[in-house]
Amino acid sequence: MAAKQMEEIQRKLTLLSYPRANAPSQSLLFAGMERYSLLEWLFFKLLGDKSPFSQQNLQGDGVDRDEETSRIQYLAEIAKFLGITTTVDTEAIQGRGSYEERTEMLRLIVDLVEASIYADNPEWSVDEQVAKDIQLIDSIAEKQAQIFSEECKLFPADVQIQSIYPLPDISDLEKQLASQSSRLSSLQEMVDDLASKHSYNPDEDYAVVDMKLRAHLESFLETARSFNTIYTKEIRPWTHMMEVPQLHGFGHAAHRLLETYKMLLKFLGNLKNLRDSHAAVAIGSSETVSGQPSSVSRIISECESALTFLNRDLGILSASIARDEAKKSGSNI
């Protein structure tokens, strides 16, 4: 799906006369000068002739690290200015997320450029297209009560449609606002009056309250001491009368088995890395048939399904060996 979407993007870039439309899809989706050149070209198509930014037109790979960082920052500022990102997001310029997410972001930008150049109707100019769109929105706004009425069935039955009820008059709302504002002012005056009668003095002497608090704390401390004495002399001896049962390990064979489990876990991790690399290389090719995964993917999937059980058993085995070694060290002492 993502590969077909990328082919459609490159087709649109060709129609838009982008000179490097046939560049490899990987170079357009992942960080590099090819991607930065494409984004800069698209951004300046959207900015038009009255752009507040100056085009850099840096090409090739012979760009040092500082120039590349400066260009990423510069493109991120343009993206924020155009409303493509909400902040100056350098990660979005370099490419972020899965292959599908990167493709979707590039598709949205290309569609914006296409919409700014070509109209839906070949007989219209872009300005005429914008005028028609504004006219449609105005018509919807004028007849919103009719369009969003129950007869059109645009909302679920359990959703209450506010447009069927008459809206309050603006003059009534203004009267209510004035009344509430007056009430708020009256309440604020009452608060200020109370504050003036009961002023707070941070340097006031709270000797009486301090004495009561000290008395309560001393009483609590005495109760805690009494409980500690009773617990130490009477309760604690009863809780330690029975010996804790000792658990035994699996013996020397468990050590060899543990090393085997660790080696297998490392092998599965390498398989996972192999799968990720295989997926990155296989994108855009016809490696799968009728939606079926490749043999490498199937092997890795089967191994990963067993990884959960191996991790659980490995935890049990490690705990058993630790108890066995602790028991041996105790017997040697």
Side-chain angles (χ1 to χ4, degrees):
M1 183 64 183
K4 292 182 179 179
Q5 195 175 33
M6 195 61 202
E7 292 176 2
E8 179 65 17
I9 291 173
Q10 291 181 303
R11 185 188 68 79
K12 290 184 178 181
L13 288 174
T14 302
L15 294 176
L16 295 172
S17 302
Y18 178 61
R20 295 278 298 164
N22 295 324
S25 59
Q26 300 283 343
S27 63
L28 300 179
L29 295 176
F30 294 87
M33 300 308 298
E34 192 72 56
R35 175 180 173 84
Y36 306 148
S37 298
L38 171 61
L39 291 178
E40 183 176 4
W41 188 85
L42 292 172
F43 288 167
F44 276 90
K45 285 292 183 181
L46 293 172
L47 290 169
D49 298 333
K50 298 181 179 180
S51 169
F53 299 91
S54 59
Q55 197 162 0
Q56 295 183 351
N57 290 322
L58 297 176
Q59 299 291 337
D61 297 329
V63 180
D64 60 29
R65 186 64 178 173
D66 292 338
E67 290 179 345
E68 181 178 358
T69 303
S70 175
R71 191 178 194 187
I72 293 170
Q73 180 71 21
Y74 153 80
L75 291 174
E77 292 174 358
I78 298 178
K80 181 180 182 297
F81 177 81
L82 291 171
I84 296 173
T85 58
T86 56
T87 60
V88 180
D89 191 350
T90 56
E91 292 185 4
I93 299 301
Q94 294 175 288
R96 175 174 56 198
S98 63
Y99 189 92
E100 289 75 11
E101 292 171 340
R102 295 165 185 259
T103 305
E104 180 64 18
M105 177 184 175
L106 185 59
R107 183 191 68 79
L108 292 174
I109 300 175
V110 172
D111 287 348
L112 285 174
V113 175
E114 184 184 28
S116 67
I117 296 177
Y118 300 108
D120 294 338
N121 190 331
E123 298 178 357
W124 296 344
S125 67
V126 176
D127 292 336
E128 290 174 335
Q129 174 72 62
V130 173
K132 296 292 184 182
D133 292 339
I134 294 174
Q135 183 180 357
L136 174 61
I137 295 173
D138 288 342
S139 300
I140 293 174
E142 291 174 359
K143 301 180 180 180
Q144 59 176 331
Q146 180 181 353
I147 294 174
F148 296 105
S149 63
E150 279 189 316
E151 288 77 8
C152 293
K153 306 294 183 184
L154 295 180
F155 295 98
D158 58 340
V159 176
Q160 186 179 14
I161 304 174
Q162 299 294 333
S163 60
I164 64 177
Y165 299 101
L167 296 175
D169 189 65
I170 296 179
S171 59
D172 294 337
L173 294 176
E174 291 177 346
K175 291 179 181 178
Q176 293 181 21
L177 177 61
S179 175
Q180 296 295 333
S181 299
S182 175
R183 184 181 178 188
L184 178 61
S185 300
S186 176
L187 292 174
Q188 185 63 47
E189 291 177 358
M190 293 173 61
V191 171
D192 294 340
D193 182 61
L194 290 173
S196 62
K197 293 179 180 178
H198 304 280
S199 58
Y200 172 70
N201 182 11
D203 299 326
E204 186 177 352
D205 187 12
Y206 297 96
V208 177
V209 178
D210 181 67
M211 292 177 60
K212 290 182 179 180
L213 180 59
R214 287 179 178 273
H216 286 303
L217 290 176
E218 290 176 358
S219 175
F220 172 77
L221 183 60
E222 186 63 30
T223 303
R225 287 173 179 170
S226 300
F227 175 79
N228 184 54
T229 303
I230 296 173
Y231 174 79
T232 304
K233 294 183 178 180
E234 300 183 12
I235 299 177
R236 191 173 187 279
W238 284 93
T239 60
H240 291 72
M241 291 183 65
M242 297 180 62
E243 294 184 359
V244 179
Q246 299 296 322
L247 301 178
H248 301 281
F250 291 127
H252 297 286
H255 290 274
R256 296 192 298 272
L257 185 59
L258 179 60
E259 294 299 323
T260 305
Y261 266 115
K262 290 181 178 179
M263 186 180 299
L264 179 58
L265 186 62
K266 181 180 180 181
F267 172 71
L268 289 176
N270 293 334
L271 277 178
K272 181 180 179 182
N273 295 333
L274 175 62
R275 183 193 62 180
D276 296 339
S277 302
H278 177 269
V281 173
I283 289 176
S285 66
S286 57
E287 181 145 352
T288 59
V289 180
S290 300
Q292 297 294 328
S294 64
S295 58
V296 174
S297 299
R298 285 197 302 269
I299 291 173
I300 297 173
S301 297
E302 292 172 1
C303 290
E304 283 188 334
S305 64
L307 184 59
T308 303
F309 300 98
L310 291 178
N311 283 332
R312 182 190 62 186
D313 297 339
L314 184 61
I316 297 173
L317 187 59
S318 299
S320 300
I321 291 177
R323 289 195 300 268
D324 186 60
E325 290 178 351
K327 180 180 178 183
K328 287 181 179 179
S329 61
S331 61
N332 292 333
I333 294 175

